[in-house]
Amino acid sequence: MFSLFANWKSHKNLITTRAWVNTFLDALDISFPQAVIESRIELVLFPPLPLIYPLKQLVSDSEITVGAQDISALPEGKHTGQVASESLAGIATHVILGHVETRQSGDTQEIVQAKFERALSTNLAPLVCVTSPEQVIAESPYIVYEPAASVGTGKVAGIDDIANFKSSCHLQSTQKFIYGGSVSPENVTDLMKDGVIDGVLVGTDSLDPLVFAQLVNNILSHA
Ligand code: PGA
């Protein structure tokens, strides 16, 4: 199965999200639902927090699920402003942890590990983002390699570099290896070659619904 994750970061509101969904679903290839049902592809959208629930409702008939871009390292409790993983029960299916941007704003490996345990305890599937093999969490179902030089720069990493990084991670056979960093409709099928990666995390090119639909459609024709 090829995993497709869309990270909207701090973009969009309720109005632009509705418009995105309408345009995206119209442009999506009709083979998409069957590809999900046959487990050839999974698609998870990661909007900003206030949009998780409305987006889940907007895509409820479409085999798309919705995830969170981060969670608190703390359980439910007296922590004003924090979003405990318990609060996402029944709403989000996945959570992004240790994204290079959240590590830059203070998440240490210890904090990422604590968030990872919170995610598992509430049945959220964690995507652990890493820029070096030391950041890999051996039990994580998804490891997302996001070289800092490729995130948001338009400079996609070469498949040989991605493959070398993967081998230095010594992943378990059950762990999925995802690549993120300037993935586009133009480069995604090259990235899929030789089965090095099991999926992609897309930032910039998930924001325009027509560009993102093209990206998904290109994956569908190869998945
Ligand atoms: P990008 O972002 O596709 O804009 O490089 C990827 C990410 O940060 O998840």
Side-chain angles (χ1 to χ4, degrees):
M1 175 162 67
F2 197 80
S3 301
L4 180 51
F5 301 120
N7 178 9
W8 287 358
K9 307 190 180 181
S10 299
H11 293 279
K12 303 199 187 293
N13 59 31
L14 198 50
I15 292 164
T16 54
T17 295
R18 284 200 190 104
W20 188 98
V21 170
N22 287 338
T23 307
F24 176 70
L25 293 180
D26 275 354
L28 191 59
D29 194 272
I30 50 162
S31 64
F32 174 76
Q34 196 58 28
V36 177
I37 290 162
E38 291 170 4
S39 297
R40 283 186 282 122
I41 193 168
E42 66 174 336
L43 172 53
V44 187
L45 305 175
F46 296 83
L49 184 66
L51 302 172
I52 295 179
Y53 188 65
L55 182 57
K56 176 186 158 65
Q57 291 186 306
L58 288 166
V59 298
S60 61
D61 294 331
S62 65
E63 307 294 340
I64 297 169
T65 69
V66 180
Q69 294 175 17
D70 200 7
I71 48 169
S72 174
L74 301 166
E76 255 184 341
K78 297 176 188 169
H79 314 297
T80 301
Q82 298 279 316
V83 177
S85 57
E86 287 88 343
S87 300
L88 293 163
I91 305 174
T93 54
H94 295 64
V95 62
I96 298 173
L97 300 177
H99 189 279
V100 66
E101 289 156 11
T102 56
R103 290 187 193 262
Q104 276 162 2
S105 50
D107 269 15
T108 60
Q109 186 65 13
E110 204 180 8
I111 293 173
V112 175
Q113 180 74 42
K115 291 180 174 182
F116 175 79
E117 279 151 29
R118 298 302 317 142
L120 283 195
S121 73
T122 53
N123 288 324
L124 273 179
L127 278 63
V128 173
C129 298
V130 304
T131 54
S132 69
E134 300 75 52
Q135 294 173 336
V136 168
I137 295 181
E139 303 79 31
S140 183
Y142 300 96
I143 297 297
V144 187
Y145 174 42
E146 292 211 310
S150 295
V151 172
T153 60
K155 293 184 193 142
V156 66
I159 196 71
D160 290 345
D161 291 340
I162 298 171
N164 284 340
F165 183 89
K166 182 182 179 183
S167 39
S168 64
C169 291
H170 306 293
L171 301 178
Q172 329 257 359
S173 59
T174 50
Q175 283 182 297
K176 296 184 120 210
F177 181 71
I178 311 297
Y179 169 77
S182 301
V183 177
S184 70
E186 290 74 34
N187 63 31
V188 73
T189 46
D190 277 348
L191 288 168
M192 292 172 79
K193 275 186 196 148
D194 303 329
V196 173
I197 61 169
D198 303 301
V200 285
L201 176 57
V202 185
T204 309
D205 278 4
S206 69
L207 296 176
D208 180 320
L210 291 176
V211 172
F212 191 60
Q214 187 61 57
L215 199 156
V216 182
N217 293 344
N218 289 352
I219 291 172
L220 282 169
S221 59
H222 286 77

